[in-house]
C-alpha cells in the first residue's frame, strides 16, 4: 500500500465521515482504497490534486488560523511528537500512523475484502431519520478532521445517565449485534518501558477501531505473595489503563472484581455485565487476575492463564445458566441468544519469550502451529530441549492456546508475539528484508486480524524472505490454529517412503476413502477424473498419501520411472507429486495447503520431490516461492518444479534429466476429454 493510496482513501471519507461516527471507519477506508485500486482513472479525476496527509498543524479555513505554530514532527521522537503537538494535530498524527499501519498490514486486496466481509458495519436503527444536532454539519464543519470520526468523546462517555428503564432500541441493538472480542494476555507489564507500553496501547486501540475489542489479562512474575502482589497487579493495571487512555478515544478500565471461585473451585466471572458493558462501549477492560472466594470472603491472586480460560468460558456462554424464574423453553432460548451476542475470535499472548522455538525448522521458530497434528510432539520437544532459548513459558503458553481454542469455533485462532512486535506501529524496518529497499514492518496483531494468517506462510523457505543469515527469522511470532488432524499413509516413522519399500500402498486400501479422495481431486481441479484409468496408472507406484482434516486437502505421491530406466532400478525412480489438492472452500484459509506441503517436504520427502504444472496455472506463484528450482520444459506446456537440493545444472545431472523425462511424459487421466495439459 502506497502513501498515495493512503491519501486517496482518507480524503475520500472527508465528505461524509462525520455523519456516521459509530461505523467501522477502517473498513470504509479499505473500501475506498480498493475502489481507487480497481478504478484508478476515476479516482484520479475526482482527486486530481490530493493533499498529502501531514502530521503538521494545518489551517482548515483561511479565516480560522491555527492557535499554535507548526511543528516539524519529523525531527522529533515519538514521545516528543505527541507532547509537542496541539491535541488536534496529535490526533491527526495518530490517525496517520493508524491508517498507514492498517493499509500496509493488509497483505492483498483479497485479504482486505475478506476482512470487510467478516466485520461488517453495524446497522443501528433509530426512531428518527433526522441526524442528532451534534452531528449535523454546519458551515464551520465543511472540512472535517478525520480524527473526530471515532465515536463519542470521553466526556460524553463518562457522563451519568439518569434513566429508570433501558430504551427498547438500545436493547435490540445489544441483542442483534455480534460483539467481536480478542482475549489478550500481556506478561510482565511492570518491566516494560513507556515507549513499548504506549505502542502496545496504540495497537490495542487499533484493534478496537477495527471492530475487534480487546479484553486484557495481566500476568506478572510470581515474586510476591498476598496483599503486596495484589497491590502490584492493580498498580500495573492502572499503568496500562493510563497508556490506553492516552492514545484511545474510548480508553480503558481496570477490572479487579470480576472473578470469583465457583462451587467446583474453578475461577469464573460472577457478574457478566461488569465485563460486557465496557466491551460494548469499546472500552478496553484490563482484568486483574484476582478472584474472590465466596466461602472465605478473601481475595486471592490466580494464574493469568486460569483467568483467560474463565473469561473464555463466560464470553462464549459456557458458564451461562438458564434462569429459574422463566419457563424452561424460554430460558433455553435466552441462553442461546446470549451466546450469539459475543464472538471470541482471537486468543493473543504478548510475552517477551516470543515465538515457540523449533529444533527442526531452518529459522528455529514455529511460524504456524496446527494443534491437532503437532501439540503432543511440540510439548515433548520443549520438555526435552536443552536449548537456552527454550523457556517453560513456551510450554505453558502452548497449553493455554490448546485449552482456550478447544472452547472456541474452528474459525478462532491464536497469536503469540513479543512486546516489541506488538508495539510496532508504522515505523520503517531498519533491516533490508527483501534487499530491494526499506519496507514497513507489519504489526502481527493487525496483520493477523486482517488476514487470519501468520506474518508469512509456514511452508515458505526462509531464503525466499531474503534473509542474509539462515538462522534469522522474519518474525518473532507464532500463529496457532486448533487445526485439523493429518494422516500420512504409510506413516514415515513406521515405514519410510523409500523407492525400494515393499509392499506399496494402493488407493483401494481400506484406510483410504476413495470416493472422498476422488471428490477432493475433482473439486480442487474443477475437472472429472477418469478413476479406473487413474488407478491403473498409479496403483502400483504409490509412494504415499497425505490427507488433511476431513479430506479438506491432500497429496498423492508416486515413484515414476524415467525413459531408459527399468522399474527394478530403484536408484533411478523419481519421487513425484502426482496430485496436490485442496477443497475450494478451504483454499486460502486455515493453512490447509501449508499443512500438506510441509508434511510432504519436511517429513515424507526431506531429500526432495518434483512435480509439474501448466505454465499459465495461477497457482504457479505459490509453487515458485516454495520450490528450489523450476524449468520450463521445451516443446510442452509444462513447468517443472523441485525441492531437491543441489539440482541446478541440467547438462551434468542425471537426476535432473530423469525429473524432466517423468514430467514430460506422464499422461493425464481426466474424463472430460479436454486436450489442455494440466
Amino acid at each position: 500500500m502506497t502513501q498515495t493510496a493512503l491519501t486517496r482513501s482518507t480524503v475520500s471519507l472527508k465528505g461524509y465521515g462525520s455523519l456516521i461516527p459509530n461505523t467501522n471507519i477502517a473498513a470504509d477506508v479499505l473500501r475506498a482504497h480498493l475502489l481507487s485500486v480497481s478504478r484508478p482513472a476515476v479516482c484520479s479525476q475526482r482527486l486530481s490534486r490530493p493533499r498529502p496527509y501531514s502530521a503538521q498543524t494545518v489551517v482548515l479555513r483561511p479565516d480560522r488560523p491555527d492557535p499554535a505554530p507548526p511543528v516539524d514532527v519529523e525531527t522529533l521522537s515519538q514521545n516528543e511528537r505527541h507532547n509537542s503537538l496541539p491535541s488536534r494535530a496529535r490526533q491527526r498524527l495518530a490517525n496517520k500512523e493508524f491508517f498507514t499501519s492498517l493499509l500496509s498490514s493488509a497483505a492483498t486486496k483479497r485479504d482486505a475484502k475478506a476482512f470487510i466481509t467478516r466485520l461488517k458495519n453495524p446497522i443501528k436503527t433509530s426512531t428518527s431519520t433526522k441526524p442528532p444536532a451534534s452531528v449535523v454539519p454546519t458551515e464551520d464543519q465543511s472540512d472535517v478532521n478525520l480524527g473526530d470520526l471515532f465515536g463519542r468523546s470521553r466526556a460524553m462517555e463518562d457522563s451519568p445517565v439518569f434513566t429508570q428503564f433501558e430504551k427498547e432500541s438500545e436493547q435490540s441493538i445489544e441483542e442483534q449485534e455480534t460483539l467481536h472480542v480478542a482475549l489478550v494476555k500481556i506478561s510482565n507489564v511492570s518491566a516494560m518501558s513507556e515507549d513499548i507500553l504506549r505502542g502496545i496501547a496504540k495497537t490495542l486501540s487499533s484493534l478496537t477501531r477495527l471492530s475487534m475489542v480487546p479484553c486484557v489479562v495481566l500476568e506478572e512474575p510470581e515474586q510476591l505473595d498476598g496483599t503486596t502482589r495484589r497491590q502490584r497487579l492493580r498498580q500495573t493495571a492502572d499503568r496500562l489503563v493510563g497508556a490506553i487512555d492516552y492514545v484511545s478515544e474510548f480508553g480503558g478500565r481496570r477490572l479487579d472484581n470480576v472473578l470469583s471461585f465457583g462451587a467446583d473451585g474453578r475461577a469464573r466471572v460472577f457478574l457478566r455485565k461488569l465485563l460486557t458493558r465496557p466491551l460494548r462501549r469499546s472500552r478496553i477492560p484490563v482484568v486483574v487476575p484476582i478472584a474472590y472466594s465466596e466461602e472465605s470472603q478473601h481475595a486471592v491472586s490466580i494464574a493469568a492463564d486460569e483467568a483467560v480460560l474463565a473469561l473464555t468460558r463466560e464470553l462464549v456462554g459456557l458458564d451461562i445458566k438458564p434462569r429459574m424464574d422463566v419457563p424452561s423453553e424460554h430460558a433455553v432460548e435466552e441462553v442461546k441468544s446470549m451466546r450469539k451476542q459475543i464472538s471470541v475470535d482471537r486468543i493473543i499472548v504478548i510475552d517477551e519469550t516470543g515465538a515457540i522455538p523449533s529444533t527442526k525448522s531452518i529459522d528455529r521458530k514455529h511460524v504456524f502451529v496446527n494443534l491437532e497434528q503437532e501439540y503432543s510432539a511440540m510439548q515433548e520437544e520443549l520438555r526435552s530441549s536443552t536449548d537456552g532459548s527454550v523457556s517453560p513459558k513456551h510450554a505453558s503458553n502452548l497449553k493455554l492456546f490448546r485449552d482456550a481454542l478447544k472452547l472456541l469455533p474452528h474459525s478462532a485462532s491464536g497469536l503469540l508475539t513479543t512486546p516489541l512486535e506488538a508495539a510496532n506501529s508504522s515505523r520503517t524496518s531498519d533491516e533490508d528484508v527483501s534487499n530491494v529497499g526499506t519496507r514497513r514492518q507489519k504489526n502481527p496483531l493487525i496483520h493477523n486480524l486482517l488476514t487470519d494468517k501468520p506474518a508469512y506462510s509456514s511452508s515458505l523457505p526462509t531464503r525466499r524472505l531474503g534473509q542474509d543469515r539462515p538462522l534469522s527469522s522474519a518474525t518473532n511470532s507464532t500463529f496457532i490454529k486448533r487445526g485439523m488432524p493429518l494422516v500420512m499413509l504409510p506413516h514415515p516413522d513406521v515405514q519410510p517412503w523409500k523407492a525400494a519399500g515393499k509392499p506399496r500402498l494402493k488407493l483401494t486400501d481400506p484406510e483410504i476413502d476413495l470416493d472422498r479422495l476422488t471428490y477432493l481431486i475433482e473439486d480442487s481441479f474443477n475437472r472429472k477424473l477418469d478413476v479406473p484409468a487413474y488407478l491403473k496408472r498409479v496403483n502400483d507406484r504409490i509412494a504415499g498419501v497425505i490427507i488433511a482434516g476431513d479430506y479438506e486437502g491432500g497429496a498423492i505421491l508416486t515413484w515414476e520411472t524415467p525413459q531408459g530406466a527399468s522399474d527394478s532400478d530403484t536408484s533411478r525412480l523419481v519421487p513425484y507429486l502426482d496430485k496436490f489438492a485442496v477443497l475450494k472452500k478451504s483454499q486460502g484459509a486455515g493453512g490447509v495447503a501449508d499443512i500438506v506441503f510441509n508434511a510432504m517436504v519436511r517429513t515424507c520427502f526431506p531429500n526432495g520431490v518434483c512435480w509439474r504444472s501448466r505454465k499459465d496455472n495461477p497457482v504457479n506463484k505459490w509453487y515458485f516461492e516454495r520450490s528450489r528450482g523450476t524449468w520450463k520444459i521445451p516443446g510442452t506446456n509444462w513447468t517443472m518444479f523441485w525441492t531437491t537440493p543441489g539440482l541446478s545444472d541440467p547438462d551434468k545431472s542425471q537426476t535432473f534429466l530423469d525429473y524432466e523425462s517423468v514430467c514430460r511424459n506422464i499422461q493425464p487421466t481426466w474424463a472430460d476429454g479436454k486436450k489442455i495439459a494440466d
Side-chain angles (χ1 to χ4, degrees):
M1 306 286 182
T2 64
Q3 181 66 33
T4 302
L6 170 63
T7 304
R8 291 178 177 175
S9 302
T10 53
V11 171
S12 65
L13 289 173
K14 269 190 169 184
Y16 60 86
S18 60
L19 301 180
I20 36 177
N22 291 321
T23 57
N24 184 352
I25 303 301
D28 288 336
V29 169
L30 282 173
R31 287 192 188 95
H33 169 73
L34 296 177
L35 182 63
S36 69
V37 171
S38 59
R39 295 191 296 175
V42 176
C43 292
S44 62
Q45 294 174 3
R46 293 180 181 176
L47 304 170
S48 57
R49 296 186 64 184
R51 181 175 61 188
Y53 207 81
S54 173
Q56 297 183 5
T57 304
V58 296
V59 178
L60 298 182
R61 293 186 55 176
D63 58 342
R64 190 169 59 194
D66 214 23
V71 179
D72 184 10
V73 297
E74 299 300 331
T75 62
L76 302 177
S77 66
Q78 186 173 3
N79 281 342
E80 289 172 334
R81 290 186 189 185
H82 283 280
N83 294 332
S84 62
L85 294 175
S87 59
R88 178 172 294 183
R90 184 164 63 240
Q91 183 63 49
R92 188 179 297 114
L93 175 60
N95 289 333
K96 173 190 174 184
E97 293 175 348
F98 167 67
F99 285 116
T100 302
S101 178
L102 168 67
L103 295 175
S104 64
S105 295
T108 64
K109 182 177 176 179
R110 177 182 179 183
D111 292 330
K113 284 185 175 180
F115 163 73
I116 294 172
T117 302
R118 289 196 305 269
L119 299 177
K120 295 181 179 179
N121 284 342
I123 301 176
K124 299 190 177 184
T125 58
S126 175
T127 56
S128 173
T129 58
K130 183 179 180 180
S134 60
V135 297
V136 174
T138 65
E139 184 181 358
D140 290 340
Q141 294 174 323
S142 59
D143 197 358
V144 182
N145 174 25
L146 193 62
D148 297 334
L149 301 182
F150 295 104
R152 297 174 292 179
S153 65
R154 290 294 305 278
M156 183 183 298
E157 180 72 18
D158 296 335
S159 298
V161 179
F162 300 95
T163 180
Q164 188 172 2
F165 301 102
E166 293 184 359
K167 296 179 181 179
E168 293 182 3
S169 61
E170 292 178 350
Q171 287 183 335
S172 63
I173 288 173
E174 183 162 340
E175 292 172 357
Q176 293 174 5
E177 290 181 9
T178 298
L179 177 65
H180 296 271
V181 176
L183 283 173
V184 184
K185 186 184 80 168
I186 307 180
S187 298
N188 206 12
V189 170
S190 60
M192 293 181 188
S193 67
E194 287 299 325
D195 285 344
I196 294 295
L197 188 61
R198 188 164 295 169
I200 292 175
K202 187 182 296 184
T203 298
L204 297 177
S205 175
S206 297
L207 293 181
T208 303
R209 294 187 184 189
L210 292 168
S211 300
M212 180 83 73
V213 186
C215 178
V216 179
V217 176
L218 296 180
E219 181 179 52
E220 290 292 317
E222 298 182 3
Q223 299 174 348
L224 303 173
D225 295 323
T227 305
T228 305
R229 174 173 173 76
R230 293 194 294 273
Q231 290 177 349
R232 176 69 61 84
L233 284 168
R234 291 188 178 99
Q235 291 171 359
T236 302
D238 289 338
R239 182 169 175 244
L240 177 58
V241 169
I244 294 172
D245 288 343
Y246 185 83
V247 300
S248 172
E249 285 287 320
F250 300 103
R253 180 179 178 183
R254 186 188 79 189
L255 295 180
D256 57 0
N257 57 353
V258 72
L259 298 172
S260 67
F261 288 107
D264 56 358
R266 189 176 62 178
R268 60 174 297 163
V269 176
F270 74 92
L271 189 56
R272 181 180 176 87
K273 287 188 176 181
L274 285 177
L275 183 63
T276 58
R277 279 178 175 171
L279 290 170
R280 289 212 172 270
R281 293 185 173 100
S282 296
R283 299 188 69 177
I284 300 175
V286 179
V287 177
V288 182
I290 297 175
Y292 288 84
S293 171
E294 298 178 2
E295 296 181 356
S296 62
Q297 298 297 312
H298 287 303
V300 179
S301 299
I302 63 174
D305 291 2
E306 189 178 357
V308 170
L309 294 175
L311 295 173
T312 305
R313 289 191 295 267
E314 178 62 39
L315 292 176
V316 300
L318 297 179
D319 283 346
I320 298 177
K321 304 298 182 184
R323 291 193 298 167
M324 304 300 295
D325 57 342
V326 296
S328 59
E329 61 274 11
H330 292 168
V332 172
E333 289 300 321
E334 186 179 62
V335 170
K336 289 182 179 179
S337 176
M338 293 180 68
R339 289 176 176 172
K340 293 178 181 179
Q341 293 175 15
I342 297 178
S343 173
V344 179
D345 299 332
R346 297 289 187 277
I347 303 294
I348 300 171
V349 175
I350 302 174
D351 194 311
E352 56 193 3
T353 58
I356 299 176
S358 171
T359 59
K360 298 178 181 179
S361 63
I362 297 176
D363 59 2
R364 313 295 289 179
K365 293 182 178 67
H366 285 280
V367 177
F368 170 66
V369 175
N370 174 24
L371 288 173
E372 287 279 356
Q373 172 201 357
E374 301 177 89
Y375 178 77
S376 298
M378 287 179 62
Q379 286 287 22
E380 179 60 32
E381 179 183 346
L382 292 173
R383 283 193 295 266
S384 60
S385 176
T386 58
D387 192 330
S389 64
V390 176
S391 165
K393 288 296 295 295
H394 288 123
S396 62
N397 285 331
L398 186 62
K399 183 178 184 300
L400 172 62
F401 284 115
R402 194 272 310 263
D403 294 342
L405 291 176
K406 270 186 177 180
L407 307 175
L408 302 177
H410 277 274
S411 58
S413 60
L415 181 69
L416 173 61
T417 190
T418 64
L420 182 62
E421 292 206 346
N424 171 39
S425 177
S426 58
R427 59 190 172 87
T428 302
S429 172
D430 295 331
E431 296 182 4
D432 184 6
V433 177
S434 63
N435 296 325
V436 294
T438 58
R439 63 169 58 179
R440 294 189 181 277
Q441 291 181 337
K442 293 179 179 179
N443 184 302
L445 275 69
I446 305 299
H447 175 82
N448 174 253
L449 172 59
L450 295 177
T451 66
D452 197 28
K453 297 176 183 177
Y456 64 90
S457 171
S458 60
S459 63
L460 191 65
T462 306
R463 64 184 179 277
R464 294 296 186 192
L465 302 173
Q467 300 296 308
D468 295 329
R469 299 177 302 275
L471 297 183
S472 65
S473 176
T475 182
N476 199 19
S477 303
T478 299
F479 176 69
I480 300 168
K481 294 284 283 189
R482 183 174 169 184
M484 59 191 65
L486 185 74
V487 176
M488 292 174 281
L489 299 172
H491 198 286
D493 291 342
V494 178
Q495 182 180 336
W497 292 17
K498 300 292 186 181
K502 294 291 181 74
R504 288 180 180 160
L505 179 75
K506 296 182 181 294
L507 295 184
T508 51
D509 190 281
E511 291 187 89
I512 298 174
D513 190 328
L514 182 58
D515 290 338
R516 300 184 71 185
L517 184 61
T518 301
Y519 176 80
L520 166 62
I521 295 171
E522 293 178 346
D523 181 74
S524 179
F525 285 83
N526 201 29
R527 299 183 70 178
K528 295 291 292 183
L529 184 68
D530 186 343
V531 178
Y534 183 67
L535 292 178
K536 182 178 180 181
R537 190 186 76 77
V538 304
N539 237 2
D540 292 327
R541 298 183 175 275
I542 298 293
V545 176
I546 303 171
I547 300 171
D550 197 19
Y551 283 82
E552 296 175 59
I556 300 174
L557 295 109
T558 59
W559 292 109
E560 300 293 341
T561 306
Q563 286 188 338
S566 169
D567 289 345
S568 60
D569 184 2
T570 57
S571 65
R572 294 278 303 277
L573 295 184
V574 172
Y576 178 70
L577 173 59
D578 190 82
K579 291 288 185 291
F580 186 89
V582 178
L583 289 179
K584 289 178 182 176
K585 67 177 184 179
S586 301
Q587 292 175 4
V592 180
D594 286 335
I595 291 171
V596 175
F597 193 87
N598 282 339
M600 177 181 73
V601 301
R602 297 179 183 178
T603 304
C604 302
F605 281 123
N607 295 323
V609 63
C610 74
W611 67 95
R612 70 183 185 181
S613 176
R614 280 183 290 112
K615 291 179 181 178
D616 56 349
N617 192 340
V619 81
N620 282 353
K621 180 179 183 297
W622 197 86
Y623 288 150
F624 275 123
E625 292 173 340
R626 285 152 183 81
S627 64
R628 285 185 175 268
T630 66
W631 174 256
K632 293 183 178 180
I633 303 177
T636 73
N637 193 37
W638 297 114
T639 296
M640 181 177 76
F641 300 86
W642 65 87
T643 62
T644 309
L647 197 66
S648 57
D649 192 344
D651 296 327
K652 298 181 180 180
S653 172
Q654 182 62 50
T655 301
F656 182 96
L657 297 176
D658 288 346
Y659 281 12
E660 181 186 9
S661 173
V662 167
C663 291
R664 179 188 292 272
N665 294 303
I666 286 182
Q667 296 300 311
T669 51
W670 298 106
D672 53 17
K674 295 180 181 179
K675 299 301 182 181
I676 62 170
D678 71 337

